[in-house]
């Protein structure tokens, strides 16, 4: 009985020096609004707020810091941990050419990013081959060829009716013959609900066995990002993401949603229309941007 | 969303979630949910069917009075300027518009004012060839305003009914690119004071709240007469149109429902609202 009443008094004392439920709820209300406005998925926000509340409850108050600010710090750290690791590099093949397959929704920036990645890897002393496997979109092959010319990287194209999996397969054979150590596959944009086109992507992956399957996502994606990313990941087991058009003012909250549902890391970000405009991903920068 | 059950707070949260996941956005969701709660208080609804029906009504009311028709010039050509951020669907939408007007018996001309992006002109040329539509273009890297000027000139001399101008994708945050667009508008106006008769912002339905910022900025810089919501054939709902219409008074004129030249429909508010819950 004595130990019980003692611990009651003790905990009462501690209560005055810890974050209260009021402190936490007030701050989290604002965080919820900010994250939703930043396009983080509704359910991901709810889950995230609940996790933060658990972490924040009963935390000892830090001297000279307002309780609200302390909660924000918990939020910030939790977001960094979610969006991490600090940098997830590309993984390369240990024998034979590394195959990198770009995929994603229409207009997300795949073709441009293929060019950017090729230039970056060339700058690292590698010998890339670009593959124009989008035979659907008008002038898609030409688009990749123009980019290849700009950076003096060869582009494998095939205009005699071969389907994309065949084009990619022959590109791989060509790469081995020409001593190319990276093969970058540009694929047509497609909806995750388009079963025949998703099957085509699975077929390309089956015949080329990519070392890296990268989902290219627009930074301005909204709530639906979870649906498309989940689908692509479930069907292809992607290795990572590239977030494009980060040079705009979209808050990029979809990135958090995508990370939450796929668990896959963001490897690079696109920061402009020029072929040099690709950077390594830094979670802390995106988190500050997300919190507005 | 399960129908035929009694209404409780959980139900309201579910409806709110549907609106959020449709990219309706915080402000608009709050506004609509408040009206729904008020309606529920004043006329106690029995079950979720009634509540859902009432919500759809509120959403449709939110879009009423929207003028989705096109403004035709008194004397041809009618000039349509198509703008938007990178990859939203502008060039493909222009092909669809071209087909639509051609099927109505109109003579159409395209202007290739994206002189910057790799193979942009080739892309539009392929669409033009498929449709048998003339394409006015200069060399890669030419000044978009001078292409626009020549295109208006050509449209006038070729007795064209509709001139559709394709522009390069540009993020609204890039001042120099927005100024480039403004120059295209001014040059067109010089030749035809009432043009462009329509300035259409093509939005990607998968875009979140940034679509509202895009609409605000493009509207501020060059004026907008309408929005085309592209890629609505995916799972994204394009709910941002409520905010765009209520806050900026910009109507939706068309929706893009695929990658083929037939995949364009006039905006239908009732169908759009139903699609949000489909
Ligand atoms: N500002 C900016 N624009 C970008 C970035 N990445 C790509 N773009 C632009 O976005 C548009 C679409 O890029 P594409 O490379 O054609 O996109 P895609 O995914 O290959 O498109 P589809 O093949 O049709 O699915 C183009 O105008 C690019 O220049 C970026 O990081 N920043
Ligand atoms: N599913 C679907 N795809 C579309 C729709 N509209 C356009 N697309 C696709 O989106 C991609 C980009 O379309 P574009 O017409 O090149 O877009 P854009 O705005 O002209 O792009 P930039 O000129 O690079 O800024 C292409 O793959 C199109 O086929 C649509 O309504 N539905
Ligand atoms: Mg492409
Ligand atoms: Mg275009």
């Amino acid at each position: 009985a004595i130990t019980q009443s003692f611990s009651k008094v003790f905990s009462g004392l501690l209560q005055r020096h810890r974050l209260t439920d009021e402190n936490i709820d007030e701050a989290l209300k604002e965080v919820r609004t900010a994250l939703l406005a930043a396009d983080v998925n509704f359910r991901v926000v709810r889950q995230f707020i609940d996790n933060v509340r658990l972490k924040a409850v009963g935390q000892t108050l830090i001297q000279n810091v307002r309780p609200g600010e302390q909660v924000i710090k918990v939020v910030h750290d939790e977001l960094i941990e979610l969006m991490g690791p600090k940098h997830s590099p590309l993984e390369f093949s240990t024998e034979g050419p590394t195959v990198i397959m770009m995929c994603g929704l229409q207009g997300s920036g795949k073709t441009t990013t293929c060019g950017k990645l090729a230039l970056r890897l060339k700058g690292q002393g590698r010998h890339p081959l670009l593959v124009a496997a989008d035979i659907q979109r008008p002038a898609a092959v030409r688009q990749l060829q123009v980019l290849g010319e700009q950076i003096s990287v060869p582009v494998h194209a095939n205009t005699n009716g071969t389907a994309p999996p065949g084009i990619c397969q022959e590109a791989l054979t060509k790469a081995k013959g020409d001593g190319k150590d990276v093969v970058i596959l540009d694929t047509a944009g497609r909806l995750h609900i388009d079963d025949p086109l998703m099957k085509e992507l699975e077929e390309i992956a089956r015949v080329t066995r990519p070392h890296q399957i990268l989902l290219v996502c627009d930074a301005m994606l909204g709530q639906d990002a979870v649906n498309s990313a989940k689908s692509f990941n479930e069907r292809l087991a992607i290795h990572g993401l590239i977030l494009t058009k980060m040079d705009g003012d979209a808050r990029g909250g979809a990135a958090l949603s995508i990370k939450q549902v796929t668990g896959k890391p963001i490897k690079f970000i696109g920061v402009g229309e020029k072929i040099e405009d690709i950077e390594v991903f830094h979670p802390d920068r995106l988190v500050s941007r997300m919190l507005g | 969303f399960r129908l035929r059950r009694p209404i409780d707070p959980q139900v309201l949260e579910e409806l709110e979630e549907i609106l959020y996941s449709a990219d309706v956005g915080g402000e608009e969701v709050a506004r609509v949910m408040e009206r729904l709660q008020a309606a529920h208080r004043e006329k106690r609804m029995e079950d979720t069917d009634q509540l859902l029906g009432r919500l759809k009504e509120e959403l449709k009311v939110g879009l009423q009075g929207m003028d989705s028709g096109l403004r035709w010039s008194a004397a041809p050509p009618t000039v349509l300027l198509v703008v938007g951020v990178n990859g939203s669907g502008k060039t493909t939408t222009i092909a669809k518009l071209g087909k639509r007007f051609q099927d109505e018996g109109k003579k159409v001309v395209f202007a290739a004012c994206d002189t910057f992006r790799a193979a942009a002109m080739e892309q539009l040329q392929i669409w033009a060839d498929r449709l048998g539509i003339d394409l006015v273009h200069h060399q890669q890297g030419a000044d978009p305003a001078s292409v626009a000027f020549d295109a208006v000139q050509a449209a006038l001399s070729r007795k064209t009914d509709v001139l559709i101008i394709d522009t390069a994708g540009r993020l609204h945050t890039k001042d120099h690119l927005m100024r480039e667009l403004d120059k295209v508008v001014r040059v067109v106006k010089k030749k035809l004071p009432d043009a462009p008769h329509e300035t259409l912002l093509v939005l990607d339905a998968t875009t979140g709240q940034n679509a509202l910022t895009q609409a605000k900025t493009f509207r501020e810089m060059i004026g907008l007469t309408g929005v085309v919501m592209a890629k609505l054939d995916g799972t994204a709902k394009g709910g941002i149109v409520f905010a765009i219409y209520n806050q900026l008074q910009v109507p939706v004129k068309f929706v893009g429902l695929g990658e083929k030249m037939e995949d364009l429909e006039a905006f239908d508010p009732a169908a759009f609202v139903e699609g949000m819950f489909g």
Side-chain angles (χ1 to χ4, degrees):
Chain A
I2 288 182
T3 34
Q4 261 187 343
S5 59
F6 188 76
S7 66
K8 232 195 197 166
V9 170
F10 194 62
S11 70
L13 261 181
L14 276 180
Q15 194 61 28
R16 259 178 272 137
H17 297 287
R18 290 181 187 279
L19 283 174
T20 64
D21 285 346
E22 288 79 33
N23 296 144
I24 295 172
D25 283 346
E26 201 173 321
L28 289 186
K29 212 156 166 249
E30 288 188 34
V31 170
R32 179 180 180 273
T33 306
L35 292 179
L36 283 172
D39 291 322
V40 181
N41 180 267
F42 188 88
R43 286 200 186 145
V44 171
V45 171
R46 186 192 302 147
Q47 198 180 340
F48 177 78
I49 297 288
D50 290 345
N51 292 343
V52 166
R53 184 173 286 118
L54 285 174
K55 286 222 160 114
V57 153
Q59 250 192 18
T60 314
L61 276 178
I62 300 172
Q63 291 278 27
N64 301 323
V65 172
R66 272 178 288 142
E69 285 176 358
Q70 183 165 340
V71 175
I72 300 296
K73 174 96 179 42
V74 176
V75 169
H76 184 269
D77 294 348
E78 189 67 9
L79 282 173
I80 296 277
E81 185 162 335
L82 260 173
M83 292 313 301
K86 261 194 154 289
H87 171 50
S88 175
L90 283 181
E91 292 166 35
F92 293 89
S93 159
T94 47
E95 72 161 293
T98 298
V99 178
I100 301 175
M101 180 170 106
M102 303 287 218
C103 61
L105 298 173
Q106 290 91 346
S108 58
K110 297 174 293 300
T111 305
T112 311
T113 303
C114 283
K116 291 176 180 180
L117 199 55
L119 181 62
R120 183 184 171 85
L121 295 176
K122 187 178 172 194
Q124 293 172 353
R126 300 178 199 273
H127 302 93
L129 172 68
L130 286 164
V131 183
D134 177 359
I135 54 172
Q136 182 63 22
R137 167 174 153 155
V141 172
R142 184 71 202 132
Q143 185 183 1
L144 193 64
Q145 285 173 330
V146 171
L147 294 175
E149 283 160 20
Q150 279 176 17
I151 58 175
S152 305
V153 167
V155 176
H156 176 77
N158 173 323
T159 48
N160 49 19
T162 310
I167 296 174
C168 294
Q169 200 162 23
E170 67 187 23
L172 195 49
T173 308
K174 186 173 195 305
K176 289 173 182 159
D178 293 353
K180 300 298 176 194
D181 55 8
V182 185
V183 179
I184 302 173
L185 312 176
D186 183 24
T187 65
R190 68 203 64 213
L191 297 177
H192 55 291
I193 52 171
D194 187 328
D195 197 50
L197 283 186
M198 289 305 286
K199 282 205 164 74
E200 176 188 91
L201 218 46
E202 289 170 342
E203 181 64 7
I204 294 174
R206 197 185 63 79
V207 303
T208 61
R209 318 213 314 141
H211 301 85
Q212 297 281 275
I213 297 179
L214 302 176
L215 180 62
V216 178
C217 293
D218 200 318
M220 60 183 91
L221 284 176
Q223 296 282 315
D224 195 59
V226 288
N227 299 325
S228 48
K230 193 162 181 283
S231 273
F232 274 91
N233 189 39
E234 281 174 354
R235 295 188 71 145
L236 299 167
I238 66 179
H239 295 88
L241 293 114
I242 299 185
L243 204 58
T244 62
K245 307 174 203 173
M246 282 287 283
D247 45 315
D249 60 359
R251 300 265 295 278
L256 177 66
S257 315
I258 294 174
K259 182 83 211 291
Q260 187 76 329
V261 300
T262 65
K264 302 297 163 72
I266 296 173
K267 303 221 167 184
F268 297 102
I269 56 171
V271 292
E273 300 188 63
K274 301 199 300 305
I275 203 140
E276 305 84 24
D277 296 334
I278 184 170
E279 287 175 10
V280 153
F281 173 66
H282 291 290
D284 52 341
R285 288 186 207 165
L286 181 63
V287 168
S288 319
R289 176 178 180 141
M290 242 188 250
L291 287 175
Chain B
F1 184 70
R2 278 183 306 115
L3 297 173
R4 278 180 291 284
R5 61 187 152 126
I7 296 164
D8 59 35
Q10 163 83 354
V11 166
L12 290 170
E13 165 127 9
E14 279 180 42
L15 286 178
E16 199 181 48
E17 183 170 344
I18 293 177
L19 294 178
Y20 267 114
S21 41
D23 288 315
V24 172
E27 221 178 292
E28 294 297 316
V29 171
R31 197 180 57 84
V32 171
M33 289 307 290
E34 199 182 299
R35 287 178 66 87
L36 188 65
Q37 306 249 32
H40 181 46
R41 275 196 301 274
E42 102 183 39
K43 171 176 173 269
R44 200 129 207 95
M45 279 171 260
E46 300 284 303
D47 61 15
T48 51
D49 299 44
Q50 284 194 312
L51 197 65
L52 181 62
R54 187 57 199 244
L55 176 59
K56 288 182 182 178
E57 277 311 303
E58 282 303 325
L59 292 169
K60 288 173 189 173
V61 161
L63 298 178
Q64 76 187 359
M66 185 181 279
D67 176 15
S68 297
L70 286 178
R71 180 181 144 231
W72 296 99
S73 167
T78 294
V79 180
L80 269 59
L81 177 68
V82 178
V83 302
V85 303
N86 309 71
S88 65
K90 299 174 291 302
T91 305
T92 311
T93 297
I94 287 169
K96 295 173 185 178
L97 288 169
K99 164 140 181 72
R100 183 181 185 88
F101 299 139
Q102 201 175 50
D103 287 351
E104 292 171 0
K106 297 187 171 69
K107 172 150 169 59
V108 184
V109 168
F110 290 159
C113 289
D114 179 356
T115 57
F116 169 75
R117 205 209 69 209
M121 296 191 292
E122 287 89 331
Q123 182 186 6
L124 189 55
Q125 183 70 68
I126 290 173
W127 284 116
D129 291 346
R130 285 179 185 176
L131 289 163
I133 287 178
D134 287 346
L135 174 67
V136 174
H137 66 93
H138 290 185
Q139 74 288 0
Q140 184 78 6
D143 174 15
S146 64
V147 180
F149 186 84
D150 281 3
V152 174
Q153 196 98 290
L156 283 166
S157 67
R158 293 177 211 180
K159 303 210 170 22
T160 303
D161 295 310
V162 194
L163 169 64
I164 313 180
I165 304 175
D166 189 14
T167 61
R170 70 203 65 226
L171 295 181
H172 51 289
T173 48
K174 314 228 157 154
D175 285 336
H176 65 294
L177 294 181
M178 295 305 285
R179 269 181 276 128
E180 173 189 89
L181 197 54
D182 185 53
K183 187 176 169 207
V184 169
V185 173
R186 279 184 285 118
V187 157
V188 167
K189 270 204 188 310
K190 258 197 182 155
K191 213 90 181 79
L192 292 174
D194 287 343
H197 304 88
E198 290 280 347
T199 300
L200 302 175
L201 176 69
V202 178
L203 291 174
D204 186 328
T206 64
T207 300
Q209 297 307 301
N210 197 253
L212 180 60
T213 316
Q214 292 171 23
K216 272 199 187 120
T217 312
F218 275 89
R219 180 173 171 270
E220 259 167 56
M221 296 289 301
I222 58 156
L224 290 179
T225 59
V227 158
V228 176
M229 184 57 80
K231 309 179 196 173
L232 214 49
D233 47 316
T235 50
K237 305 292 186 189
I240 198 74
V241 304
F242 294 98
I244 291 177
Y245 186 56
N246 288 318
Q247 295 179 30
L248 307 175
Q249 289 79 51
V250 177
V252 182
K253 304 260 175 175
F254 298 100
V255 297
L257 296 168
E259 303 190 65
K260 303 197 295 302
M261 55 173 90
E262 304 84 28
D263 297 331
L264 185 81
E265 282 180 16
F267 184 67
D268 174 349
F272 180 77
V273 171
E274 291 299 325
M276 280 173 65
F277 298 91

